[in-house]
Amino acid sequence: MSAADFRKAGHTLIDRLADLMESMADRPVTSGKTPLEIRDLLDADANLPSDTSDAGEILAGAADLVIDHSLYNGHPRFWGYITSSPAPIGVLGDLIASAVNPNVGAWGLAPVATEIEAQSIRWIAELLDYPADCGGILVSGGNMANFVCFLAARAAKADWDIRKNGATPVAGGRLRIYASAETHTWIQKAADLFGLGTESIRWISTDNGLRIDTELLQEQIDADRADGDRPFLLIGTAGSVSTGAIDPLADLATIARKNDLWYHVDGAYGGFAAAVPSCKEAFNGMSQADSIAVDPHKWLYAPLEAGCALVRNPKALQNAFSYHPPYYHFDTEVINYFDYGPQNSRGFRALKVWLGLKQAGRSGYVRMIEDDITLARSLYDLLGDYPELEKVTHDLSITTFRYIPEDLNDRVGEEAVEEYLNRLNEEIRNELQQGGEAFLSHAVIRGKFVLRLCIVNFRTTIDDIRALPEIVLRLGAEIDGKIRKEVLG
Ligand SMILES: *Cc1c(COP(=O)(O)O)cnc(C)c1O
């Protein structure tokens, strides 16, 4: 591709993407196509092209395909899972990053990019009120950020050479992990992948607010020690994935210190809300953690993928990942990120994060995060006006609720009715995910299937929120009319 062709195709493409941004709110959230329809569009069974094609034409075709048939997480009414709208500046940042293509594994291969990553990490730490001289690394997302911290904890707390000899304690007993029952599934993957086994996890029950029960936690730690096991890691969640619940982080810090455990906070979703003054109290204790995982591709609006692991003692990352002697010294000490994490060659994902931090600054992020929380709260309050909509939880920017047909209100709690309500709300969720009016996901809270709105979206307005109850009421009544007889008799 010549520079001239690149220029032409690039300009055309940027125009199309700007058009997409302008028209986003008027489009359905999703085209709701079936897997077969999508495969047809793509001509999925076609063979590998044997000949070359014109780059401009293929790019135009790819833009048609992707722009017209995707689910838009940048749509003002996208409220599913925890997936954010991408910051336009990050989109452009990715273009620079891939055009220059520094390999951010080693300083020598990526001098400016390495320093930009280091600065981004310091700024993220600052935003979280975490020591700015901590260690850190950007990775692909929350799972990977939690894994990196997990491996740092494992290497720091095992009293044998776990990197050399493996995860089974030579002197017997078993490494033990403590986390609430609401902890994200990364912990199972980590315990499995890194050789401890999922049976090493102690799932601690939660209180009414879905926060870890600290009394049960201490009892379990004591019981395990008495059995000769080796408690080593305590995980607090700062914004659970289902409901946004924040564990009592200061109490956990105390328990970790008293029991000599590595204290890790999973703030992949909620962590950045610590910067919001009205939330500060709930995050008390997070800054005492030995490590924190946050996700710039959630509340910092970096386009996918960007996660960030922060570790209080920077040496702990090298101790977990480096295969060089850490006393390597050049004239000036430099960071070679391959020593700080699992990757070798690494892309320049820091640029989109750094650009977002520079553009929005602290006050911009505080305002955007606060807006999301306020909007989720507005929905929770609004639900009070609708007798068919039962509010269930509100925490951070997550609100959960369910639809109950008016004539079933008196029978809530009956087993058959609860089963029916679960089915009905599941169908409503399915319709919401296919129909394109608004996109929600779900949670299961104490056996109830509930609709779950999670706003990590700088485009959502109060009018979008006000429109939601009527949409759910309409779909609820329609689906109830269709399936009640068949399910409930
Ligand atoms: C999103 C999330 C994760 C996983 O992060 P990914 O970026 O999806 O890998 C882990 N923990 C919590 C609390 C999350 O919200």
Side-chain angles (χ1 to χ4, degrees):
M1 204 174 179
S2 68
D5 289 346
F6 180 86
R7 190 187 313 276
K8 189 158 166 257
H11 279 285
T12 309
L13 187 60
I14 293 287
D15 282 339
R16 287 213 58 184
L17 297 178
D19 289 346
L20 172 65
M21 275 170 59
E22 275 171 351
S23 63
M24 186 81 82
D26 303 323
R27 295 166 175 252
V29 185
T30 175
S31 67
K33 292 213 162 48
T34 65
L36 278 180
E37 287 169 323
I38 298 281
R39 282 173 211 151
D40 264 359
L41 278 166
L42 186 61
D43 195 6
D45 295 331
N47 289 326
L48 170 71
S50 52
D51 295 317
T52 54
S53 300
D54 179 77
E57 270 173 41
I58 316 171
L59 277 167
D64 285 342
L65 190 64
V66 177
I67 290 176
D68 292 338
H69 306 287
S70 288
L71 166 70
Y72 302 127
N73 45 41
H75 192 287
R77 295 190 183 180
F78 177 87
W79 303 310
Y81 308 100
I82 309 179
T83 295
S84 77
S85 34
I89 198 168
V91 176
L92 294 172
D94 262 350
L95 187 58
I96 306 178
S98 60
V100 177
N101 203 33
N103 183 339
V104 199
W107 195 94
L109 290 171
V112 177
T114 299
E115 296 302 336
I116 286 179
E117 178 157 346
Q119 186 169 53
S120 307
I121 289 163
R122 283 195 297 276
W123 284 350
I124 287 172
E126 218 184 289
L127 200 52
L128 301 174
D129 208 8
Y130 200 59
D133 61 355
C134 66
I137 188 165
L138 294 186
V139 289
S140 56
N143 264 32
M144 288 301 294
N146 281 304
F147 290 173
V148 164
C149 297
F150 182 97
L151 288 165
R154 209 187 67 146
K157 286 297 181 186
D159 61 6
W160 70 98
D161 189 344
I162 195 167
R163 296 179 67 195
K164 187 164 159 209
N165 294 314
T168 307
V170 184
R174 168 165 215 162
L175 288 173
R176 288 283 178 201
I177 302 157
Y178 301 83
S180 97
E182 293 294 311
T183 307
H184 186 278
T185 55
W186 75 266
I187 188 57
Q188 279 140 304
K189 288 195 179 178
D192 165 10
L193 287 168
F194 305 126
L196 278 65
T198 53
E199 288 289 315
S200 62
I201 306 167
R202 294 300 198 190
W203 298 100
I204 309 298
S205 307
T206 53
D207 63 14
N208 283 340
L210 298 165
R211 298 148 34 109
I212 192 167
D213 182 322
T214 50
E215 262 174 50
L216 293 178
L217 168 65
Q218 185 61 58
E219 281 170 26
Q220 187 66 59
I221 296 169
D222 292 341
D224 288 340
R225 273 216 215 280
D227 283 350
D229 280 345
R230 300 155 177 269
F232 85 105
L233 173 61
L234 173 58
I235 296 160
T237 294
S240 69
V241 72
S242 283
T243 65
I246 301 168
D247 282 332
L249 300 174
D251 295 348
L252 293 186
T254 306
I255 291 173
R257 205 174 315 116
K258 193 170 113 205
N259 293 277
D260 190 26
L261 308 178
W262 180 283
Y263 180 31
H264 171 67
V265 172
D266 177 7
Y269 159 48
F272 290 113
V276 176
S278 57
C279 296
K280 255 209 159 63
E281 209 183 315
F283 288 88
N284 252 342
M286 183 167 83
S287 58
Q288 295 175 52
D290 294 297
S291 58
I292 305 179
V294 285
D295 235 349
H297 70 206
K298 290 178 178 166
W299 251 332
L300 296 190
Y301 297 116
L304 294 165
E305 305 165 339
C308 179
L310 300 176
V311 176
R312 175 178 295 277
N313 171 9
K315 286 276 175 299
L317 284 178
Q318 284 159 292
N319 293 344
F321 294 103
S322 174
Y323 276 105
H324 289 275
Y327 41 79
Y328 246 60
H329 274 296
F330 298 91
D331 284 353
T332 43
E333 214 173 330
V334 297
I335 299 170
N336 292 308
Y337 275 112
F338 67 80
D339 277 338
Y340 288 75
Q343 277 183 274
N344 193 57
S345 294
R346 302 175 68 250
F348 190 11
R349 55 169 58 96
L351 186 59
K352 60 194 171 193
V353 176
W354 186 79
L355 286 167
L357 288 163
K358 277 182 87 92
Q359 189 196 7
R362 177 188 288 274
S363 65
Y365 277 121
V366 166
R367 195 174 65 238
M368 287 189 283
I369 294 171
E370 222 169 14
D371 280 353
D372 287 353
I373 294 171
T374 306
L375 287 166
R377 176 81 218 179
S378 303
L379 177 69
Y380 190 75
D381 294 341
L382 204 60
L383 292 170
D385 299 343
Y386 299 88
E388 299 95 331
L389 299 178
E390 177 191 34
K391 16 172 132 177
V392 180
T393 66
H394 166 254
D395 246 315
L396 293 176
S397 67
I398 299 178
T399 291
T400 64
F401 62 102
R402 63 177 183 166
Y403 174 76
I404 303 174
E406 219 163 356
D407 61 317
L408 288 182
N409 233 325
D410 301 340
R411 297 176 56 196
V412 166
E414 281 178 33
E415 201 179 319
V417 171
E418 286 296 327
E419 249 173 60
Y420 174 66
L421 291 176
N422 284 354
R423 167 77 193 282
L424 176 58
N425 281 278
E426 188 176 348
E427 296 288 339
I428 295 172
R429 183 220 43 195
N430 292 347
E431 191 47 44
L432 281 167
Q433 295 197 346
Q434 288 297 308
E437 287 179 277
F439 190 100
L440 263 62
S441 53
H442 76 276
V444 178
I445 300 175
R446 307 194 197 290
K448 280 184 201 174
F449 188 105
V450 296
L451 301 171
R452 171 182 170 284
L453 159 130
C454 174
I455 310 178
V456 185
N457 192 329
F458 51 80
R459 292 208 176 87
T460 302
T461 66
I462 186 67
D463 287 340
D464 294 312
I465 293 299
R466 288 198 185 111
L468 181 62
E470 298 292 343
I471 296 173
V472 175
L473 287 182
R474 193 186 74 240
L475 294 175
E478 260 170 43
I479 297 169
D480 182 41
K482 264 189 233 155
I483 68 169
R484 168 106 58 116
K485 240 200 162 78
E486 159 209 336
V487 182
L488 205 55

